[in-house]
Amino acid sequence: MELVKLVKLVKLVKLVKLAELEKKMKTAIIGGGAAGFFCAINLKEMVAPMEVTIFERAHRVLQKVEISGGGRCNCTNSFANVIDLSQVYPRGHRLLKRLFKGFGPQDAYAWFEHHGVRLTTQDDQCVFPQSQDSHTIINMFLAETRRLGIEIKTGVKIDSLDLLADYDFIVVTTGGQPQTSGLDWLQHPIEQPVPSLFTFQIADKALQSLMGTVVEDATAFIPGTKLRANGPLLITHWGMSGPAILRLSSYAARILAEKDYRLPLAVNWVSRNEADTLEELLSLQAKHPQKQVQSMRPFALPSRLWTYLAEKCLGERATYRWQDLNKKGINRLVNLLCCDQYQIAGRAPFKDEFVTCGGVSLSAVNASTLESKLRPRLYFAGEVLDIDGVTGGFNFQAAWTTGRTVAQSIADQASQ
Ligand SMILES: Cc1cc2nc3c(=O)[nH]c(=O)nc-3n(C[C@H](O)[C@H](O)[C@H](O)COP(=O)(O)OP(=O)(O)OC[C@H]3O[C@@H](n4cnc5c(N)ncnc54)[C@H](O)[C@@H]3O)c2cc1C
């Protein structure tokens, strides 16, 4: 009986000591964005006595969350359509595969719902707040920081880790930086930052006249490489946009930067191989021999686009009847539908881009804890790391997972 009491007493003393120790501990989080808030709230929930302060250089926090997803915040994805993580995380997929085991998309979904943000999954597997309003997430984050006593210091730019010398733990969540020089103060190996998720400028007046045309299932690719992306493609007044182009810009981010955004681009407008496309055209010819070529569209392509393609390929013969089109003409149409060539002439201005490819090299952080290998008790989370995803909620998911991983690592260290 006495022994049981003694064991209980020892446990109590240990707990009191731990609480006292933790009470003295302070964590500085640099950057009041998605990863910074998620890390701060999770850390404070795990280690209540820890003093947590978020330093934000701007006068308002969470600005990207606010404008994300057209103001609706595509906060994660069900991942139901993701077979291979490298499809959606061109950089960082190996690390995330490992970290998702600790805190993955389903955990993030449950976390938000547990914190009062009801979510909904669209048919395309993108997850949004049911309110369709990013402020629901922002308001929850702000309410949680108030409830937990997390301090937020805005208008404070941190450009030296020495400024935070009296903190026990430092977490860098400063997001994507356009220039390597913007990361010099971290004194860590950096993968050169280049833009990702941008639209292509294409100097082709005839194409631009199709502005507003959407092809639901196109495949854009860089000829002579394996870089290709499939999905809706939008023709704009400056060139091409839409999920297929954004995804391709992500896969090809480095090579596009190296070539100064001047590379050949090809589009398969029907996302079919040549044999299937030929079969469709021959079937059209057999069913509608008397109709003009340009008036009968294969694969329900938008009519303006089909007229443009038929004229580009056949010239005035686009007005011929299908029965008058010879084999050579049909083959030329097949080639154009499957491999229509353009020249990328540039990209949209930097401010329009969604994410940065590059950042703090993953070789410089512990893959389980995200602690720096060079400086103990320094951690990284979010887009400042060399991790980036395609559109669809994948970038926020990376911010939640890395933010939570860091919170857990600090909580583990604090209790040692
Ligand atoms: C227009 C737009 C729409 C987007 N929509 C989506 C979407 O719907 N779904 C999705 O998954 N992703 C989306 N993204 C990407 C997503 O917003 C980012 O991947 C995500 O915000 C990264 O989170 P983060 O916390 O790492 O960085 P950020 O959210 O960028 O936060 C970093 C913060 O650190 C601050 N900071 C930087 N340097 C310092 C410093 N030295 N000292 C103090 N503070 C500093 C910055 O001011 C900023 O507030 C979108 C991006 C943009 C631009």
Side-chain angles (χ1 to χ4, degrees):
M1 194 62 184
E2 283 308 303
L3 187 66
V4 174
K5 269 188 183 168
L6 192 66
V7 169
K8 274 188 179 166
L9 192 67
V10 169
K11 273 189 182 166
L12 194 68
V13 170
K14 268 191 181 172
L15 276 175
V16 171
K17 273 192 175 171
L18 185 67
E20 277 174 358
L21 187 74
E22 286 169 346
K23 206 172 195 168
K24 288 177 202 141
M25 287 194 166
K26 299 202 298 181
T27 296
I29 296 185
I30 313 172
F37 269 77
F38 203 76
C39 180
I41 293 167
N42 277 278
L43 176 57
K44 195 74 179 149
E45 284 179 339
M46 290 170 192
V47 189
M50 176 79 75
E51 271 182 48
V52 179
T53 308
I54 299 175
F55 294 92
E56 168 56 52
R57 71 177 169 193
H59 288 285
R60 280 173 54 229
V61 292
L62 295 165
Q63 291 191 42
K64 272 198 192 165
V65 174
E66 186 171 24
I67 57 168
S68 66
R72 297 192 299 135
C73 187
N74 179 190
C75 57
T76 184
N77 191 287
S78 77
F79 283 68
N81 293 339
V82 180
I83 299 153
D84 178 350
L85 276 189
S86 67
Q87 287 176 336
V88 290
Y89 292 109
R91 272 78 42 190
H93 54 95
R94 282 193 197 88
L95 179 69
L96 285 174
K97 190 174 179 185
R98 182 187 190 121
L99 299 182
F100 278 178
K101 288 179 190 147
F103 191 83
Q106 285 168 2
D107 302 308
Y109 195 106
W111 191 96
F112 278 99
E113 293 240 313
H114 178 73
H115 287 77
V117 178
R118 302 299 308 276
L119 299 176
T120 179
T121 308
Q122 295 185 164
D123 291 347
D124 62 3
Q125 305 306 319
C126 294
V127 177
F128 289 85
Q130 263 182 24
S131 64
Q132 303 290 330
D133 186 350
S134 60
H135 291 102
T136 311
I137 290 182
I138 294 173
N139 292 342
M140 178 273 286
F141 277 164
L142 293 176
E144 285 299 298
T145 49
R146 277 193 299 273
R147 178 179 74 82
L148 294 162
I150 294 166
E151 192 176 0
I152 302 169
K153 293 191 175 174
T154 53
V156 184
K157 182 178 176 182
I158 305 291
D159 53 10
S160 164
L161 295 173
D162 297 340
L163 295 172
L164 304 171
D166 58 336
Y167 284 83
D168 301 280
F169 303 98
I170 301 174
V171 188
V172 180
T173 56
T174 47
Q177 298 291 322
Q179 308 284 343
T180 309
S181 56
L183 297 163
D184 280 350
W185 61 282
L186 293 172
Q187 297 179 332
H188 271 67
I190 302 296
E191 301 299 333
Q192 196 205 345
V194 298
S196 182
L197 299 181
F198 47 87
T199 60
F200 296 161
Q201 284 180 29
I202 292 167
D204 182 326
K205 285 224 155 50
L207 181 79
Q208 286 162 8
S209 70
L210 302 177
M211 177 178 86
T213 303
V214 179
V215 179
E216 287 304 333
D217 186 13
T219 303
F221 57 103
I222 309 286
T225 73
K226 287 184 179 163
L227 301 166
R228 56 178 51 232
N230 173 254
L233 189 152
L234 167 69
I235 300 172
T236 65
H237 67 279
W238 66 85
M240 291 185 197
S241 176
I245 295 297
L246 292 173
R247 212 171 247 241
L248 183 63
S249 79
S250 173
Y251 296 158
R254 289 237 171 263
I255 181 173
L256 279 163
E258 275 163 27
K259 303 284 179 191
D260 198 22
Y261 304 96
R262 278 164 179 77
L263 268 183
L265 167 77
V267 180
N268 180 329
W269 294 106
V270 293
S271 289
R272 304 281 209 303
N273 63 26
E274 295 193 347
D276 290 352
T277 309
L278 178 63
E279 198 181 312
E280 167 85 358
L281 294 192
L282 291 176
S283 145
L284 264 184
Q285 189 176 42
K287 280 188 203 149
H288 307 283
Q290 302 293 330
K291 297 259 181 180
Q292 276 190 351
V293 171
Q294 64 179 16
S295 69
M296 292 307 300
R297 303 170 283 153
F299 301 110
L301 278 175
S303 52
R304 277 202 302 162
L305 176 68
W306 173 241
T307 305
Y308 158 81
L309 292 172
E311 281 173 4
K312 182 175 176 180
C313 181
L314 304 171
E316 64 180 24
R317 283 181 299 147
T319 57
Y320 284 15
R321 290 175 302 177
W322 272 100
Q323 68 180 17
D324 298 328
L325 198 63
N326 60 18
K327 202 173 165 197
K328 200 172 157 196
I330 297 245
N331 283 336
R332 287 183 60 191
L333 274 175
V334 170
N335 283 340
L336 192 73
L337 284 168
C338 296
C339 184
D340 188 14
Q341 308 234 12
Y342 296 90
Q343 192 69 30
I344 301 170
R347 62 181 173 87
F350 190 72
K351 61 181 162 54
D352 289 346
E353 285 132 17
F354 290 164
V355 294
T356 307
C357 147
V360 172
S361 172
L362 301 185
S363 64
V365 295
N366 178 310
S368 303
T369 62
L370 300 182
E371 184 175 13
S372 162
K373 288 181 183 169
L374 308 180
R375 184 176 168 134
R377 298 188 171 217
L378 174 69
Y379 295 82
F380 297 94
E383 213 183 298
V384 69
L385 285 165
D386 181 24
I387 298 177
D388 62 278
V390 299
T391 50
F394 301 106
N395 284 298
F396 278 134
Q397 183 56 51
W400 315 141
T401 294
T402 52
R404 167 77 178 212
T405 302
V406 169
Q408 187 64 62
S409 309
I410 294 177
D412 292 346
Q413 273 222 40
S415 64
Q416 269 166 23

